[in-house]
Amino acid sequence: MKTYSKMNPIKILRIAGLALLLASCSKDDYKLGSEIEPHLRFNFQVKSDNTPLEYPAVNGGLIAQSSYVNNSVKTLKVPVALTTRSLKNTVTANFSSVSSTGDNESFTVNPVNELVFQGNKLTDTIFVSFDKRWKENQNITLKLETVSDPEIHIGNLNSEYPNDSFKIELGTIKTNYTFPVSQYIIKGEVGETIDFKVNFPNGFFASELENLEIFKFLNGFNYSLTHDDFSKSTNSVTYHLTLLENIQNDDVYYESSISLVNAGNYNATGNTILQIVKPIKSTRDVNANPASKFYDLSNQFYLTYGETWFDKSGTCAWQAYNAFTYPVVVTKDHENAILYSDKGTANPNDDVYHDAFRIGFNVATGTNTTNSFNLKRWFSNEATASASSPGFNITSALEFFPANGNSKTNGNVLVIPQYITIAGTNKNSYSIAISGSGTYKEISAGLFEIVFELKLTNDKLFGGTVTAQYKMYNNKTYPKTACVND
């Protein structure tokens, strides 16, 4: 139970008044009129996840900070805002940057010391980039020194929170990497190239990656691997995989996998295994388009609905669940491509194509996750943010094989074999192999049912492979399985 201490109501009013003053002095309020004395101050705001809100994004509900603990090696953007009406003449301001250790070689400040404001451009940005790992307990202080217009006040119009200086406290560096996607499908033609990225959420130092072995390989075919210059970006590296042989046997499943490993000061997180797959080829008519029965992009709240059987010592234990379902977007030349939208234009370059035989589970935007295959009920104390548990969003999850290759009412379904990553709130992370198969059919007008078995494999979590039975529907109104737990 929470307890609350009593507070003098006069103090409450004073605190409320101070909060209002701070809010009014920590955002771009030049639109309020000329009665506000022009003033210049740092306007560094932090989002709820403790990451900077980068200009030109604005949030009037956030208060400007006077310091920030930085654990990332990405360039830090520090905005400086001028509160006034639009300017007739250019205004310049000078600032200084000082390291607490006297080490000015581990970071670079741009511009060096001058900010420029003109017309309606009333915010300028100081970019602090990091060139090497910094010393412990180091900080960098930026301070506004002078302004070309003597009528402009340096700092907020209050003495307690002037924001005329900003301290960057350099904390423990956290460098990690992840695959943004977990699988690529290839045609199997010699010379075929796919590009994939390794993302570095907190940035990286190019000099450290030059000789770092970050991959482990399990190869089912021959290919070469190159990468872009590490200095091209501090957020990701693009790799180029080129197939060195033809793997055209349609009856054979080909796969190579690339795994991220912990190396040097970098840790593998999130999706750590990338599969490059050439699946068995089957003759299918894209006009059957079974995938389209399981998504509706005109409805942002569209869900598919399922029932999962959990074995509880012989007790009937069906559980209901739902998940956000989306198509798999492909290019026009993809063998399973079917036109979804021409966007009302005659220009073919903006046409949108979907895979006629695949669907996935995801969220529309943001860092949350959906409940693919009801997996959130398989675990307790699971981390549900996509950065920690990307496996709850399976963007290419089920593949349909229409009867006779063209049936619009029934066929077989495959759980696309792949690795997914699920983490606990204790930060332990697990790579789980999933697979499975079943059937689908139209059981009444417009209502489709998928019946399938899902297999999950991880020695630490399950002692090997575990299996569960599923039924999934494209409408929330469906025949209930006997003894469903409500």
Side-chain angles (χ1 to χ4, degrees):
M1 180 180 295
K2 293 182 178 179
T3 59
Y4 300 88
S5 59
K6 294 182 179 180
M7 184 177 287
N8 187 310
I10 295 177
K11 182 177 286 189
I12 293 175
L13 290 175
R14 287 176 177 170
I15 292 174
L18 177 58
L20 288 172
L21 175 61
L22 288 176
S24 67
C25 291
S26 61
K27 58 184 179 179
D28 284 352
D29 45 13
Y30 57 87
K31 294 181 180 179
L32 296 179
S34 59
E35 69 277 2
I36 300 286
E37 181 181 344
H39 56 284
L40 184 70
R41 80 282 185 199
F42 287 98
N43 195 31
F44 188 93
Q45 298 178 332
V46 178
K47 297 181 289 186
S48 58
D49 62 358
N50 200 41
T51 59
L53 180 71
E54 293 189 354
Y55 181 81
V58 293
N59 186 334
L62 297 178
I63 295 175
Q65 304 297 307
S66 59
S67 64
Y68 178 69
V69 178
N70 183 52
N71 303 110
S72 168
V73 300
K74 293 194 300 184
T75 297
L76 188 66
K77 302 174 184 178
V78 183
V80 179
L82 172 59
T83 295
T84 184
R85 286 185 177 274
S86 60
L87 298 168
K88 294 181 179 179
N89 301 310
T90 298
V91 170
T92 60
N94 290 98
F95 68 93
S96 60
S97 57
V98 178
S99 167
S100 62
T101 62
D103 172 20
N104 292 322
E105 295 182 357
S106 60
F107 66 94
T108 302
V109 176
N110 186 41
V112 176
N113 59 11
E114 184 178 80
L115 302 167
V116 179
F117 308 87
Q118 52 192 356
N120 289 319
K121 178 184 172 291
L122 299 174
T123 294
D124 202 358
T125 302
I126 301 171
F127 298 86
V128 182
S129 57
F130 302 96
D131 307 312
K132 63 180 182 180
R133 291 183 180 265
W134 52 73
K135 299 177 181 178
E136 293 183 7
N137 302 318
Q138 184 179 0
N139 60 65
I140 302 167
T141 299
L142 306 174
K143 183 174 177 56
L144 298 174
E145 301 286 359
T146 62
V147 61
S148 62
D149 186 341
E151 304 232 342
I152 296 175
H153 183 270
I154 294 180
N156 276 325
L157 303 180
N158 69 80
S159 58
E160 288 204 54
Y161 298 92
N163 291 112
D164 58 350
S165 65
F166 182 75
K167 180 185 288 187
I168 304 168
E169 298 180 25
L170 301 180
T172 302
I173 298 175
K174 298 177 181 178
T175 44
N176 47 44
Y177 37 44
T178 185
F179 288 121
V181 298
S182 59
Q183 188 180 85
Y184 282 95
I185 304 297
I186 59 175
K187 297 176 182 178
E189 302 169 349
V190 64
E192 180 181 357
T193 298
I194 63 167
D195 297 335
F196 66 88
K197 286 188 175 183
V198 177
N199 281 353
F200 295 75
N202 287 328
F204 65 91
F205 295 105
S207 60
E208 294 182 342
L209 288 190
E210 288 293 346
N211 299 307
L212 202 61
E213 298 293 336
I214 68 172
F215 295 135
K216 180 174 68 175
F217 302 93
L218 182 60
N219 294 327
F221 48 82
N222 295 320
Y223 60 87
S224 64
L225 193 63
T226 59
H227 60 78
D228 286 349
D229 190 329
F230 290 138
S231 64
K232 289 184 67 173
S233 169
T234 59
N235 300 324
S236 66
V237 176
T238 299
Y239 288 80
H240 312 280
L241 182 150
T242 302
L243 197 60
L244 298 179
E245 63 174 316
N246 271 311
I247 47 175
Q248 293 292 302
N249 190 334
D250 292 340
D251 297 323
V252 176
Y253 176 88
Y254 297 88
E255 178 182 341
S256 288
S257 62
I258 301 174
S259 301
L260 289 171
V261 297
N262 296 337
N265 292 308
Y266 295 82
N267 294 316
T269 59
N271 288 322
T272 60
I273 300 176
L274 176 66
Q275 295 172 288
I276 300 95
V277 173
K278 195 273 182 183
I280 294 173
K281 189 173 183 179
S282 62
T283 302
R284 291 177 288 184
D285 182 357
V286 295
N287 292 306
N289 199 12
S292 66
K293 309 299 182 184
F294 295 92
Y295 62 83
D296 181 1
L297 295 186
S298 67
N299 180 359
Q300 63 177 323
F301 303 110
Y302 182 82
L303 301 164
T304 49
Y305 300 83
E307 305 279 353
T308 316
W309 174 270
F310 282 92
D311 185 5
K312 295 185 177 179
S313 302
T315 304
C316 186
W318 286 97
Q319 288 186 353
Y321 78 98
N322 54 61
F324 290 105
T325 311
Y326 290 90
V328 175
V329 178
V330 295
T331 57
K332 180 181 180 178
D333 61 349
H334 191 282
E335 64 179 359
N336 298 332
I338 189 166
L339 180 64
Y340 170 72
S341 173
D342 63 6
K343 293 190 175 180
T345 73
N347 181 2
N349 295 326
D350 65 0
D351 292 351
V352 178
Y353 288 85
H354 291 167
D355 192 312
F357 306 111
R358 288 192 172 205
I359 59 171
F361 309 104
N362 206 348
V363 293
T365 59
T367 59
N368 292 326
T369 51
T370 193
N371 193 17
S372 299
F373 298 136
N374 202 27
L375 290 177
K376 290 181 180 179
R377 292 188 182 174
W378 282 69
F379 308 98
S380 59
N381 299 318
E382 71 276 9
T384 57
S386 58
S388 301
S389 297
F392 286 135
N393 293 334
I394 307 177
T395 56
S396 190
L398 292 176
E399 183 165 7
F400 301 95
F401 297 84
N404 301 317
N406 61 4
S407 174
K408 294 187 177 182
T409 60
N410 69 98
N412 295 317
V413 68
L414 176 74
V415 178
I416 298 169
Q418 59 192 285
Y419 293 93
I420 63 173
T421 299
I422 306 294
T425 54
N426 59 4
K427 307 300 184 182
N428 290 336
S429 184
Y430 302 92
S431 182
I432 303 167
I434 65 169
S435 60
S437 61
T439 61
Y440 73 95
K441 65 180 178 179
E442 187 176 27
I443 58 176
S444 63
L447 179 62
F448 280 78
E449 176 187 67
I450 307 173
V451 180
F452 63 97
E453 178 182 82
L454 177 69
K455 296 180 179 180
L456 291 87
T457 302
N458 181 281
D459 290 339
K460 288 185 178 180
L461 288 175
F462 311 123
T465 299
V466 291
T467 302
Q469 305 300 317
Y470 285 78
K471 294 184 178 183
M472 201 174 89
Y473 303 87
N474 62 338
N475 193 295
K476 65 180 177 181
T477 302
Y478 57 87
K480 297 293 183 179
T481 304
C483 62
V484 170
N485 290 344
D486 294 325

